[in-house]
Amino acid sequence: AQKVTQAQTEISVVEKEDVTLDCVYETRDTTYYLFWYKQPPSGELVFLIRRNSFDEQNEISGRYSWNFQKSTSSFNFTITASQVVDSAVYFCALSEAGGTTDSWGKLQFGAGTQVVVTP
Amino acid sequence: DAGVIQSPRHEVTEMGQEVTLRCKPISGHDYLFWYRQTMMRGLELLIYFNNNVPIDDSGMPEDRFSAKMPNASFSTLKIQPSEPRDSAVYFCASSRRSGVTIYTFGSGTRLTVV
């Protein structure tokens, strides 16, 4: 069974500080996808990033970066130079890319981390 | 691309009434998912379809909940009879297995049962 743990319930920072969100996952599949979604106060779920299990290269996209480490089953996400508009709940999610229709596709979410950025 | 379209955005109903939530997935996506979000349980998968066929409905809380996908462009989630504990935000999402896998979510339906 797949499981995603986001141990941080809430993180409060002052604008321009960096924010790192932790995510630890469990899966029996060797092929899977990891995601980060953002849910602003308006309520929609916004896709941020996606990573394949076979690609551990860490990247930076604008103010976002991520650190994927299979050895520790972690997929951490960093917002650099935070802004007030970054205030939202951030969800880490996992989907197993199994070979059969029955096992593919379930997107398991973590509990979410509330990020509060104050001016 | 209009994205995943859900209706209504808000629904307030009385306990015991039937509620129907609607979803139009992105054209070309062969997977459709229904999620429910509550403070207590977070985001939980209720049911998902592949090529209009239900694959896994183990997340459906009880027989009062049912979902259908009569064609590739439309799905419904029905609650009958509704109860106050069904109050939540219900999200529909669609995806495709081929190419780059990204789950696109609709704006959600906020359901309040009084």
Side-chain angles (χ1 to χ4, degrees), chain B residues 74-103:
Chain B
F74 183 65
S75 176
T76 60
L77 177 67
K78 186 177 293 185
I79 308 172
Q80 166 64 22
S82 57
E83 297 182 2
R85 59 192 168 123
D86 301 330
S87 297
V89 179
Y90 291 81
F91 287 101
C92 175
S94 71
S95 182
R96 64 183 182 203
R97 187 169 181 176
S98 62
V100 178
T101 300
I102 295 178
Y103 299 79

PDB file of all heavy atoms in Angstrom, chain B residues 74-103:
ATOM      1  N   PHE B  74     -18.240  12.775 -19.474  1.00  0.00           N
ATOM      2  CA  PHE B  74     -19.161  13.150 -18.419  1.00  0.00           C
ATOM      3  C   PHE B  74     -19.190  12.099 -17.312  1.00  0.00           C
ATOM      4  O   PHE B  74     -19.226  10.899 -17.572  1.00  0.00           O
ATOM      5  CB  PHE B  74     -20.571  13.310 -19.009  1.00  0.00           C
ATOM      6  CG  PHE B  74     -21.609  13.773 -18.021  1.00  0.00           C
ATOM      7  CD1 PHE B  74     -21.533  15.031 -17.449  1.00  0.00           C
ATOM      8  CD2 PHE B  74     -22.667  12.953 -17.681  1.00  0.00           C
ATOM      9  CE1 PHE B  74     -22.489  15.468 -16.551  1.00  0.00           C
ATOM     10  CE2 PHE B  74     -23.636  13.378 -16.776  1.00  0.00           C
ATOM     11  CZ  PHE B  74     -23.548  14.634 -16.217  1.00  0.00           C
ATOM     12  N   SER B  75     -19.206  12.581 -16.070  1.00  0.00           N
ATOM     13  CA  SER B  75     -19.328  11.681 -14.933  1.00  0.00           C
ATOM     14  C   SER B  75     -20.177  12.357 -13.861  1.00  0.00           C
ATOM     15  O   SER B  75     -20.204  13.590 -13.762  1.00  0.00           O
ATOM     16  CB  SER B  75     -17.954  11.339 -14.360  1.00  0.00           C
ATOM     17  OG  SER B  75     -18.066  10.528 -13.200  1.00  0.00           O
ATOM     18  N   THR B  76     -20.859  11.538 -13.079  1.00  0.00           N
ATOM     19  CA  THR B  76     -21.646  12.054 -11.970  1.00  0.00           C
ATOM     20  C   THR B  76     -21.309  11.307 -10.685  1.00  0.00           C
ATOM     21  O   THR B  76     -20.965  10.126 -10.712  1.00  0.00           O
ATOM     22  CB  THR B  76     -23.157  11.916 -12.227  1.00  0.00           C
ATOM     23  OG1 THR B  76     -23.476  10.529 -12.410  1.00  0.00           O
ATOM     24  CG2 THR B  76     -23.594  12.711 -13.430  1.00  0.00           C
ATOM     25  N   LEU B  77     -21.426  12.032  -9.595  1.00  0.00           N
ATOM     26  CA  LEU B  77     -21.318  11.448  -8.265  1.00  0.00           C
ATOM     27  C   LEU B  77     -22.622  11.796  -7.542  1.00  0.00           C
ATOM     28  O   LEU B  77     -22.967  12.975  -7.421  1.00  0.00           O
ATOM     29  CB  LEU B  77     -20.117  12.011  -7.507  1.00  0.00           C
ATOM     30  CG  LEU B  77     -19.924  11.528  -6.065  1.00  0.00           C
ATOM     31  CD1 LEU B  77     -19.564  10.040  -6.040  1.00  0.00           C
ATOM     32  CD2 LEU B  77     -18.829  12.328  -5.363  1.00  0.00           C
ATOM     33  N   LYS B  78     -23.331  10.775  -7.118  1.00  0.00           N
ATOM     34  CA  LYS B  78     -24.635  10.984  -6.521  1.00  0.00           C
ATOM     35  C   LYS B  78     -24.627  10.544  -5.069  1.00  0.00           C
ATOM     36  O   LYS B  78     -24.044   9.500  -4.730  1.00  0.00           O
ATOM     37  CB  LYS B  78     -25.704  10.226  -7.308  1.00  0.00           C
ATOM     38  CG  LYS B  78     -27.126  10.476  -6.866  1.00  0.00           C
ATOM     39  CD  LYS B  78     -28.106   9.732  -7.763  1.00  0.00           C
ATOM     40  CE  LYS B  78     -28.091  10.292  -9.164  1.00  0.00           C
ATOM     41  NZ  LYS B  78     -29.141   9.656 -10.028  1.00  0.00           N
ATOM     42  N   ILE B  79     -25.287  11.307  -4.227  1.00  0.00           N
ATOM     43  CA  ILE B  79     -25.455  10.952  -2.818  1.00  0.00           C
ATOM     44  C   ILE B  79     -26.949  10.943  -2.540  1.00  0.00           C
ATOM     45  O   ILE B  79     -27.645  11.929  -2.741  1.00  0.00           O
ATOM     46  CB  ILE B  79     -24.762  11.960  -1.872  1.00  0.00           C
ATOM     47  CG1 ILE B  79     -23.304  12.175  -2.284  1.00  0.00           C
ATOM     48  CG2 ILE B  79     -24.836  11.460  -0.430  1.00  0.00           C
ATOM     49  CD1 ILE B  79     -22.613  13.291  -1.508  1.00  0.00           C
ATOM     50  N   GLN B  80     -27.455   9.795  -2.101  1.00  0.00           N
ATOM     51  CA  GLN B  80     -28.874   9.655  -1.841  1.00  0.00           C
ATOM     52  C   GLN B  80     -29.120   8.601  -0.770  1.00  0.00           C
ATOM     53  O   GLN B  80     -28.795   7.440  -0.980  1.00  0.00           O
ATOM     54  CB  GLN B  80     -29.614   9.257  -3.131  1.00  0.00           C
ATOM     55  CG  GLN B  80     -31.039   8.751  -2.958  1.00  0.00           C
ATOM     56  CD  GLN B  80     -31.982   9.802  -2.397  1.00  0.00           C
ATOM     57  OE1 GLN B  80     -31.733  10.983  -2.487  1.00  0.00           O
ATOM     58  NE2 GLN B  80     -33.073   9.332  -1.805  1.00  0.00           N
ATOM     59  N   PRO B  81     -29.668   9.004   0.370  1.00  0.00           N
ATOM     60  CA  PRO B  81     -29.961  10.355   0.825  1.00  0.00           C
ATOM     61  C   PRO B  81     -28.723  11.028   1.436  1.00  0.00           C
ATOM     62  O   PRO B  81     -27.842  10.343   1.961  1.00  0.00           O
ATOM     63  CB  PRO B  81     -31.013  10.110   1.907  1.00  0.00           C
ATOM     64  CG  PRO B  81     -30.623   8.789   2.484  1.00  0.00           C
ATOM     65  CD  PRO B  81     -30.053   7.987   1.348  1.00  0.00           C
ATOM     66  N   SER B  82     -28.669  12.322   1.342  1.00  0.00           N
ATOM     67  CA  SER B  82     -27.517  13.047   1.878  1.00  0.00           C
ATOM     68  C   SER B  82     -27.643  13.215   3.398  1.00  0.00           C
ATOM     69  O   SER B  82     -28.751  13.237   3.957  1.00  0.00           O
ATOM     70  CB  SER B  82     -27.387  14.418   1.204  1.00  0.00           C
ATOM     71  OG  SER B  82     -28.571  15.174   1.379  1.00  0.00           O
ATOM     72  N   GLU B  83     -26.479  13.303   4.054  1.00  0.00           N
ATOM     73  CA  GLU B  83     -26.412  13.495   5.494  1.00  0.00           C
ATOM     74  C   GLU B  83     -25.437  14.633   5.794  1.00  0.00           C
ATOM     75  O   GLU B  83     -24.542  14.896   4.988  1.00  0.00           O
ATOM     76  CB  GLU B  83     -25.954  12.213   6.191  1.00  0.00           C
ATOM     77  CG  GLU B  83     -26.904  11.050   6.008  1.00  0.00           C
ATOM     78  CD  GLU B  83     -26.439   9.797   6.746  1.00  0.00           C
ATOM     79  OE1 GLU B  83     -25.401   9.851   7.431  1.00  0.00           O
ATOM     80  OE2 GLU B  83     -27.145   8.760   6.647  1.00  0.00           O
ATOM     81  N   PRO B  84     -25.593  15.273   6.952  1.00  0.00           N
ATOM     82  CA  PRO B  84     -24.677  16.381   7.290  1.00  0.00           C
ATOM     83  C   PRO B  84     -23.199  15.996   7.225  1.00  0.00           C
ATOM     84  O   PRO B  84     -22.360  16.813   6.848  1.00  0.00           O
ATOM     85  CB  PRO B  84     -25.110  16.768   8.708  1.00  0.00           C
ATOM     86  CG  PRO B  84     -26.571  16.432   8.749  1.00  0.00           C
ATOM     87  CD  PRO B  84     -26.699  15.171   7.934  1.00  0.00           C
ATOM     88  N   ARG B  85     -22.859  14.759   7.545  1.00  0.00           N
ATOM     89  CA  ARG B  85     -21.445  14.354   7.523  1.00  0.00           C
ATOM     90  C   ARG B  85     -20.895  14.227   6.111  1.00  0.00           C
ATOM     91  O   ARG B  85     -19.689  14.016   5.933  1.00  0.00           O
ATOM     92  CB  ARG B  85     -21.263  13.022   8.255  1.00  0.00           C
ATOM     93  CG  ARG B  85     -22.051  11.867   7.697  1.00  0.00           C
ATOM     94  CD  ARG B  85     -22.029  10.695   8.669  1.00  0.00           C
ATOM     95  NE  ARG B  85     -22.997   9.671   8.310  1.00  0.00           N
ATOM     96  CZ  ARG B  85     -22.673   8.408   8.089  1.00  0.00           C
ATOM     97  NH1 ARG B  85     -21.427   8.016   8.185  1.00  0.00           N
ATOM     98  NH2 ARG B  85     -23.597   7.521   7.789  1.00  0.00           N
ATOM     99  N   ASP B  86     -21.751  14.358   5.113  1.00  0.00           N
ATOM    100  CA  ASP B  86     -21.277  14.357   3.720  1.00  0.00           C
ATOM    101  C   ASP B  86     -20.759  15.727   3.307  1.00  0.00           C
ATOM    102  O   ASP B  86     -20.204  15.881   2.209  1.00  0.00           O
ATOM    103  CB  ASP B  86     -22.405  13.946   2.770  1.00  0.00           C
ATOM    104  CG  ASP B  86     -22.961  12.572   3.089  1.00  0.00           C
ATOM    105  OD1 ASP B  86     -22.196  11.718   3.599  1.00  0.00           O
ATOM    106  OD2 ASP B  86     -24.162  12.344   2.828  1.00  0.00           O
ATOM    107  N   SER B  87     -20.954  16.708   4.145  1.00  0.00           N
ATOM    108  CA  SER B  87     -20.479  18.059   3.835  1.00  0.00           C
ATOM    109  C   SER B  87     -18.971  18.033   3.648  1.00  0.00           C
ATOM    110  O   SER B  87     -18.220  17.573   4.520  1.00  0.00           O
ATOM    111  CB  SER B  87     -20.865  19.020   4.960  1.00  0.00           C
ATOM    112  OG  SER B  87     -22.264  19.115   5.085  1.00  0.00           O
ATOM    113  N   ALA B  88     -18.529  18.509   2.493  1.00  0.00           N
ATOM    114  CA  ALA B  88     -17.108  18.437   2.128  1.00  0.00           C
ATOM    115  C   ALA B  88     -16.934  19.156   0.792  1.00  0.00           C
ATOM    116  O   ALA B  88     -17.898  19.623   0.185  1.00  0.00           O
ATOM    117  CB  ALA B  88     -16.656  16.988   1.987  1.00  0.00           C
ATOM    118  N   VAL B  89     -15.698  19.208   0.344  1.00  0.00           N
ATOM    119  CA  VAL B  89     -15.414  19.653  -1.019  1.00  0.00           C
ATOM    120  C   VAL B  89     -15.110  18.410  -1.845  1.00  0.00           C
ATOM    121  O   VAL B  89     -14.268  17.585  -1.460  1.00  0.00           O
ATOM    122  CB  VAL B  89     -14.234  20.635  -1.089  1.00  0.00           C
ATOM    123  CG1 VAL B  89     -13.979  21.046  -2.542  1.00  0.00           C
ATOM    124  CG2 VAL B  89     -14.506  21.858  -0.230  1.00  0.00           C
ATOM    125  N   TYR B  90     -15.803  18.265  -2.944  1.00  0.00           N
ATOM    126  CA  TYR B  90     -15.634  17.109  -3.817  1.00  0.00           C
ATOM    127  C   TYR B  90     -14.911  17.567  -5.081  1.00  0.00           C
ATOM    128  O   TYR B  90     -15.351  18.482  -5.768  1.00  0.00           O
ATOM    129  CB  TYR B  90     -16.995  16.498  -4.167  1.00  0.00           C
ATOM    130  CG  TYR B  90     -17.649  15.850  -2.975  1.00  0.00           C
ATOM    131  CD1 TYR B  90     -18.347  16.621  -2.037  1.00  0.00           C
ATOM    132  CD2 TYR B  90     -17.552  14.477  -2.757  1.00  0.00           C
ATOM    133  CE1 TYR B  90     -18.921  16.033  -0.926  1.00  0.00           C
ATOM    134  CE2 TYR B  90     -18.139  13.882  -1.645  1.00  0.00           C
ATOM    135  CZ  TYR B  90     -18.815  14.673  -0.741  1.00  0.00           C
ATOM    136  OH  TYR B  90     -19.387  14.091   0.364  1.00  0.00           O
ATOM    137  N   PHE B  91     -13.788  16.911  -5.337  1.00  0.00           N
ATOM    138  CA  PHE B  91     -12.985  17.234  -6.515  1.00  0.00           C
ATOM    139  C   PHE B  91     -13.069  16.106  -7.532  1.00  0.00           C
ATOM    140  O   PHE B  91     -13.056  14.929  -7.190  1.00  0.00           O
ATOM    141  CB  PHE B  91     -11.506  17.411  -6.136  1.00  0.00           C
ATOM    142  CG  PHE B  91     -11.203  18.681  -5.395  1.00  0.00           C
ATOM    143  CD1 PHE B  91     -11.037  18.667  -4.017  1.00  0.00           C
ATOM    144  CD2 PHE B  91     -11.051  19.868  -6.076  1.00  0.00           C
ATOM    145  CE1 PHE B  91     -10.740  19.829  -3.327  1.00  0.00           C
ATOM    146  CE2 PHE B  91     -10.747  21.045  -5.394  1.00  0.00           C
ATOM    147  CZ  PHE B  91     -10.599  21.024  -4.019  1.00  0.00           C
ATOM    148  N   CYS B  92     -13.105  16.506  -8.766  1.00  0.00           N
ATOM    149  CA  CYS B  92     -12.962  15.583  -9.884  1.00  0.00           C
ATOM    150  C   CYS B  92     -11.609  15.868 -10.526  1.00  0.00           C
ATOM    151  O   CYS B  92     -11.172  17.025 -10.607  1.00  0.00           O
ATOM    152  CB  CYS B  92     -14.093  15.817 -10.881  1.00  0.00           C
ATOM    153  SG  CYS B  92     -13.990  14.847 -12.381  1.00  0.00           S
ATOM    154  N   ALA B  93     -10.940  14.827 -10.977  1.00  0.00           N
ATOM    155  CA  ALA B  93      -9.659  14.992 -11.659  1.00  0.00           C
ATOM    156  C   ALA B  93      -9.603  14.038 -12.845  1.00  0.00           C
ATOM    157  O   ALA B  93     -10.268  12.998 -12.844  1.00  0.00           O
ATOM    158  CB  ALA B  93      -8.491  14.708 -10.713  1.00  0.00           C
ATOM    159  N   SER B  94      -8.838  14.402 -13.838  1.00  0.00           N
ATOM    160  CA  SER B  94      -8.644  13.493 -14.961  1.00  0.00           C
ATOM    161  C   SER B  94      -7.167  13.394 -15.302  1.00  0.00           C
ATOM    162  O   SER B  94      -6.376  14.283 -14.963  1.00  0.00           O
ATOM    163  CB  SER B  94      -9.462  13.918 -16.182  1.00  0.00           C
ATOM    164  OG  SER B  94      -8.949  15.087 -16.785  1.00  0.00           O
ATOM    165  N   SER B  95      -6.818  12.302 -15.969  1.00  0.00           N
ATOM    166  CA  SER B  95      -5.425  12.073 -16.321  1.00  0.00           C
ATOM    167  C   SER B  95      -5.380  11.109 -17.497  1.00  0.00           C
ATOM    168  O   SER B  95      -6.393  10.529 -17.891  1.00  0.00           O
ATOM    169  CB  SER B  95      -4.661  11.487 -15.123  1.00  0.00           C
ATOM    170  OG  SER B  95      -3.309  11.309 -15.424  1.00  0.00           O
ATOM    171  N   ARG B  96      -4.206  10.947 -18.053  1.00  0.00           N
ATOM    172  CA  ARG B  96      -4.018   9.940 -19.080  1.00  0.00           C
ATOM    173  C   ARG B  96      -2.764   9.158 -18.749  1.00  0.00           C
ATOM    174  O   ARG B  96      -1.817   9.689 -18.172  1.00  0.00           O
ATOM    175  CB  ARG B  96      -3.896  10.590 -20.457  1.00  0.00           C
ATOM    176  CG  ARG B  96      -2.684  11.476 -20.593  1.00  0.00           C
ATOM    177  CD  ARG B  96      -2.643  12.146 -21.942  1.00  0.00           C
ATOM    178  NE  ARG B  96      -1.429  12.963 -22.068  1.00  0.00           N
ATOM    179  CZ  ARG B  96      -1.313  13.977 -22.896  1.00  0.00           C
ATOM    180  NH1 ARG B  96      -2.323  14.320 -23.674  1.00  0.00           N
ATOM    181  NH2 ARG B  96      -0.194  14.658 -22.967  1.00  0.00           N
ATOM    182  N   ARG B  97      -2.778   7.893 -19.130  1.00  0.00           N
ATOM    183  CA  ARG B  97      -1.647   7.037 -18.781  1.00  0.00           C
ATOM    184  C   ARG B  97      -0.490   7.231 -19.738  1.00  0.00           C
ATOM    185  O   ARG B  97       0.669   7.118 -19.353  1.00  0.00           O
ATOM    186  CB  ARG B  97      -2.083   5.572 -18.779  1.00  0.00           C
ATOM    187  CG  ARG B  97      -1.001   4.671 -18.260  1.00  0.00           C
ATOM    188  CD  ARG B  97      -1.524   3.289 -18.014  1.00  0.00           C
ATOM    189  NE  ARG B  97      -0.477   2.427 -17.495  1.00  0.00           N
ATOM    190  CZ  ARG B  97      -0.654   1.184 -17.106  1.00  0.00           C
ATOM    191  NH1 ARG B  97      -1.857   0.659 -17.171  1.00  0.00           N
ATOM    192  NH2 ARG B  97       0.345   0.471 -16.657  1.00  0.00           N
ATOM    193  N   SER B  98      -0.783   7.538 -20.990  1.00  0.00           N
ATOM    194  CA  SER B  98       0.291   7.698 -21.966  1.00  0.00           C
ATOM    195  C   SER B  98       0.882   9.092 -21.875  1.00  0.00           C
ATOM    196  O   SER B  98       0.243  10.027 -21.396  1.00  0.00           O
ATOM    197  CB  SER B  98      -0.250   7.457 -23.377  1.00  0.00           C
ATOM    198  OG  SER B  98      -1.246   8.410 -23.675  1.00  0.00           O
ATOM    199  N   GLY B  99       2.106   9.228 -22.319  1.00  0.00           N
ATOM    200  CA  GLY B  99       2.728  10.547 -22.299  1.00  0.00           C
ATOM    201  C   GLY B  99       3.079  10.975 -20.898  1.00  0.00           C
ATOM    202  O   GLY B  99       3.342  10.169 -20.018  1.00  0.00           O
ATOM    203  N   VAL B 100       3.043  12.244 -20.666  1.00  0.00           N
ATOM    204  CA  VAL B 100       3.380  12.794 -19.353  1.00  0.00           C
ATOM    205  C   VAL B 100       2.164  12.705 -18.441  1.00  0.00           C
ATOM    206  O   VAL B 100       1.115  13.256 -18.734  1.00  0.00           O
ATOM    207  CB  VAL B 100       3.832  14.255 -19.475  1.00  0.00           C
ATOM    208  CG1 VAL B 100       4.136  14.826 -18.102  1.00  0.00           C
ATOM    209  CG2 VAL B 100       5.049  14.355 -20.380  1.00  0.00           C
ATOM    210  N   THR B 101       2.314  12.004 -17.350  1.00  0.00           N
ATOM    211  CA  THR B 101       1.184  11.814 -16.437  1.00  0.00           C
ATOM    212  C   THR B 101       1.053  13.000 -15.503  1.00  0.00           C
ATOM    213  O   THR B 101       1.930  13.243 -14.670  1.00  0.00           O
ATOM    214  CB  THR B 101       1.386  10.539 -15.609  1.00  0.00           C
ATOM    215  OG1 THR B 101       1.471   9.429 -16.503  1.00  0.00           O
ATOM    216  CG2 THR B 101       0.216  10.337 -14.654  1.00  0.00           C
ATOM    217  N   ILE B 102      -0.002  13.747 -15.666  1.00  0.00           N
ATOM    218  CA  ILE B 102      -0.323  14.847 -14.762  1.00  0.00           C
ATOM    219  C   ILE B 102      -1.799  14.756 -14.438  1.00  0.00           C
ATOM    220  O   ILE B 102      -2.615  14.570 -15.326  1.00  0.00           O
ATOM    221  CB  ILE B 102      -0.007  16.209 -15.402  1.00  0.00           C
ATOM    222  CG1 ILE B 102       1.507  16.353 -15.637  1.00  0.00           C
ATOM    223  CG2 ILE B 102      -0.491  17.341 -14.506  1.00  0.00           C
ATOM    224  CD1 ILE B 102       1.889  17.651 -16.316  1.00  0.00           C
ATOM    225  N   TYR B 103      -2.133  14.864 -13.185  1.00  0.00           N
ATOM    226  CA  TYR B 103      -3.522  14.851 -12.762  1.00  0.00           C
ATOM    227  C   TYR B 103      -4.007  16.299 -12.725  1.00  0.00           C
ATOM    228  O   TYR B 103      -3.450  17.125 -12.003  1.00  0.00           O
ATOM    229  CB  TYR B 103      -3.651  14.219 -11.377  1.00  0.00           C
ATOM    230  CG  TYR B 103      -3.196  12.782 -11.314  1.00  0.00           C
ATOM    231  CD1 TYR B 103      -1.841  12.475 -11.249  1.00  0.00           C
ATOM    232  CD2 TYR B 103      -4.100  11.733 -11.327  1.00  0.00           C
ATOM    233  CE1 TYR B 103      -1.411  11.167 -11.193  1.00  0.00           C
ATOM    234  CE2 TYR B 103      -3.678  10.414 -11.269  1.00  0.00           C
ATOM    235  CZ  TYR B 103      -2.334  10.145 -11.206  1.00  0.00           C
ATOM    236  OH  TYR B 103      -1.908   8.845 -11.152  1.00  0.00           O
TER     237      TYR B 103
END
